[in-house]
Amino acid sequence: MSAATLESFLAELDRLRADSEAAVAAARDAAAVEAARVEFAGAKSGRLKAIQKALGGLAAADKPAGGRHFNEAKAAVTELLAAAQARLAVAAAAGPPIDVTLPGSAVPLGHLHPITQTIRRVQEIMGRLGFESVDGPEVEDQWHNFEALAIPAEHPARDPLDNFYLAVARGADPLLLRSQTSTVQIRVMEARRPPLRIVSLGRVYRPDTADATHYPMFHQVEGLLVEPGTTMAHLKSVLRLFASSFLGGDVHVRFRPSFFPFTEPSVEVDMEWGGRWVEMGGAGMVDPAVLAAVGYDPAEVSGFAFGLGVERIAARRYGVADIRDFYRNDVRFLRQF
Ligand code: DAH
């Protein structure tokens, strides 16, 4: 290019600009940008350097124009390379690019504990039979846990229930963790007048040694209906309708004579489902002494009550052999429900 004309000099500059733009546009990484820098702006043998030398071979009158164009081209190429380097630096700081075609990582979703599911299902079924769901406290006084339920201090029925007392100020009537949800019968009857249809589901506490069917904390369903003219036939129908809805299919309910201080007569409730009888809880007609204790007139109203074990009915429905599994917090077990 020693004897270049201005035209060929300018054409060479245009080519250099076009080539450098194409090279930078195609550069995908730092190495490619560096290769383009060496090719176009390299201090020793870059193409800009070669054109700069050709500037000296132009006619004197062409030199100012050639120099101006050369400076413009040099500035443009330098800027192009700097911008490409800056772009790569930003990308490097942002870490590896996101591959939007990779499968995402699944967010594990939990669900309600089987005991909670059972409680909700019982509330829903009993709600359809007109029973309102109510709550009662787990820390109780002795009136609601014992006396109002016709279990006075010296009564032998207290013995297996009389345990988890809380420390209280000297002289005060000690509170305890309730041993049965029958407490809620009293609380509701004290606060309302008949007719009444309620269920209450919650935790109870007993000094039981844990085994496949016992646990020191468990859950009960308490049911209470108080209306004029209530009989054991109503009790049995309600329990049978409940059991059929809960377990599915035809469930038989059997009463065996029993004793509870707060019902007269009292029965044990067994349910037959899939060819097996299982004891589910206790029931009976509300004892007139209990109705009187809450200010109802036993000559005017009668009622029935029942108490079922939530773990028992859940174990029966789900085919769980050991109720301790409900409390081990092993997600491999819980995930099944
Ligand atoms: N509270 C009794 C218990 O824990 C169960 C029970 C029996 C509840 C008879 C009742 C009932 O409402 O009528 O063993």
Side-chain angles (χ1 to χ4, degrees), residues 307-322:
L308 310 176
V310 173
E311 281 76 0
R312 280 206 183 159
I313 62 175
R316 187 81 187 92
R317 171 152 186 236
Y318 294 126
V320 171
D322 188 331

Side-chain angles (χ1 to χ4, degrees), residues 9-19:
F9 178 81
L10 294 181
E12 186 62 23
L13 274 181
D14 285 344
R15 249 195 314 281
L16 170 108
R17 287 178 76 154
D19 289 352

Side-chain angles (χ1 to χ4, degrees), residues 28-29 57 130 273 306 308 318 333:
R28 286 278 161 269
D29 54 24
W273 185 62
F306 61 87
L308 310 176
Y318 294 126
F333 170 79

Side-chain angles (χ1 to χ4, degrees), residues 157-210:
R158 259 206 202 204
D159 208 35
L161 309 177
D162 215 8
N163 197 71
F164 294 111
Y165 283 92
L166 279 70
V168 288
R170 195 182 297 274
D173 191 22
L175 302 173
L176 78 163
L177 296 180
R178 68 180 177 189
S179 60
Q180 50 190 347
T181 48
S182 302
T183 53
V184 187
Q185 292 184 28
I186 304 302
R187 289 194 169 271
V188 172
M189 288 193 287
E190 283 171 339
R192 303 191 200 175
R193 305 299 304 168
L196 280 180
R197 290 185 187 196
I198 58 105
V199 272
S200 189
L201 290 91
R203 293 195 184 98
V204 300
Y205 301 83
R206 292 198 189 168
D208 287 346
T209 303

Side-chain angles (χ1 to χ4, degrees), residues 24-25 27 33 75-91:
V24 167
V33 172
V77 170
T78 307
E79 196 180 318
L80 194 67
L81 289 164
Q85 278 160 351
R87 228 177 16 249
L88 286 168
V90 169

Side-chain angles (χ1 to χ4, degrees), residues 7-179:
E7 286 76 36
S8 66
F9 178 81
L10 294 181
E12 186 62 23
L13 274 181
D14 285 344
R15 249 195 314 281
L16 170 108
R17 287 178 76 154
D19 289 352
S20 63
E21 277 166 21
V24 167
R28 286 278 161 269
D29 54 24
V33 172
E34 175 59 12
R37 191 195 62 78
V38 171
E39 178 183 349
F40 298 101
K44 277 193 191 138
S45 51
R47 280 168 64 179
L48 270 169
K49 200 79 197 168
I51 298 176
Q52 190 178 19
K53 281 180 193 149
L55 190 59
L58 290 180
D62 290 337
K63 276 187 184 163
R68 192 158 37 79
H69 282 285
F70 173 80
N71 285 336
E72 276 173 22
K74 183 177 176 180
V77 170
T78 307
E79 196 180 318
L80 194 67
L81 289 164
Q85 278 160 351
R87 228 177 16 249
L88 286 168
V90 169
I98 292 168
D99 183 348
V100 295
T101 66
L102 283 175
S105 45
V107 180
L109 282 184
H111 60 67
L112 292 175
H113 189 277
I115 293 297
T116 307
Q117 289 183 42
T118 303
I119 288 172
R120 304 241 172 131
R121 179 112 178 90
V122 173
Q123 287 171 330
E124 191 241 317
I125 294 169
M126 293 306 294
R128 278 192 260 140
L129 296 172
F131 287 75
E132 177 198 349
S133 181
V134 298
D135 268 336
E138 284 177 36
V139 173
E140 260 302 2
D141 54 43
Q142 299 190 43
W143 167 255
H144 292 95
N145 201 71
F146 296 121
E147 269 112 55
L149 290 164
I151 316 175
E154 70 285 1
H155 199 289
R158 259 206 202 204
D159 208 35
L161 309 177
D162 215 8
N163 197 71
F164 294 111
Y165 283 92
L166 279 70
V168 288
R170 195 182 297 274
D173 191 22
L175 302 173
L176 78 163
L177 296 180
R178 68 180 177 189
S179 60

